[in-house]
Amino acid sequence: MDETNISWVLAAACLLAGIGIGALGYHLLNASAGNAQRLRRRLAERERALADLKDGLGESLERIGQLAETLRRESQSLEEEAATASTTLGAPSLRRQAMDAATPAEDEAEPSMPRDYADGNRGTLSEDFGLKPPEEGAAQPPRY
């Protein structure tokens, strides 16, 4: 072969190698950019979902407040109806009847409150419980 042909073959090989290395570098750099774009898109989706949850939570709390207010108004109107019905019938109020039913009768013995100690001087929580009394004349170890 001629020297000029080798130069041309070497130049073509270097050109192909440069194109390959350039394509590989572009692919690697573009992959990290695509990764960053995917992460940005996921972050935007999560932020939008969080904003939707916050809006939904505010609406739910408002609805709960409305329901509680409605329940309070209805219970108040029922109490007023019961009070007017009891005064017109001459019977004691329903609230008084419920309180009488809830309180125990005076002749019933109430259970005693549980205690965490025993009766007497030598209960299970005393310091010398379960110890034998000291014997007379028993040798005591010397104290230093």
Side-chain angles (χ1 to χ4, degrees), residues 23-38:
L24 181 64
Y26 177 76
H27 177 71
L28 292 176
L29 292 175
N30 196 22
S32 65
N35 230 0
Q37 187 166 354
R38 272 194 304 269

Side-chain angles (χ1 to χ4, degrees), residues 15-104:
L15 180 65
L16 289 175
I19 290 172
I21 291 173
L24 181 64
Y26 177 76
H27 177 71
L28 292 176
L29 292 175
N30 196 22
S32 65
N35 230 0
Q37 187 166 354
R38 272 194 304 269
L39 288 175
R40 281 190 210 106
R41 186 173 53 245
R42 284 179 56 196
L43 179 63
E45 289 172 359
R46 299 262 168 95
E47 285 177 349
R48 187 176 61 241
L50 182 62
D52 291 344
L53 283 175
K54 285 182 180 178
D55 291 341
L57 181 64
E59 292 171 2
S60 296
L61 290 176
E62 185 177 322
R63 177 81 174 132
I64 288 171
Q66 290 172 351
L67 290 173
E69 181 64 25
T70 304
L71 183 63
R72 186 192 61 78
R73 276 188 265 125
E74 288 179 4
S75 66
Q76 188 176 13
S77 67
L78 286 175
E79 281 182 11
E80 290 172 0
E81 287 179 19
T84 57
S86 67
T87 56
T88 58
L89 297 175
S93 69
L94 293 176
R95 179 179 287 171
R96 181 66 186 167
Q97 289 175 354
M99 288 177 62
D100 289 342
T103 56

Side-chain angles (χ1 to χ4, degrees), residues 115 117-129:
R115 301 180 305 208
Y117 59 90
D119 290 330
N121 294 338
R122 299 191 41 132
T124 56
L125 294 182
S126 69
E127 292 180 3
D128 60 347
F129 179 76

Side-chain angles (χ1 to χ4, degrees), residues 132-140:
K132 295 179 183 176
E135 297 178 8
E136 295 296 325
Q140 291 289 330

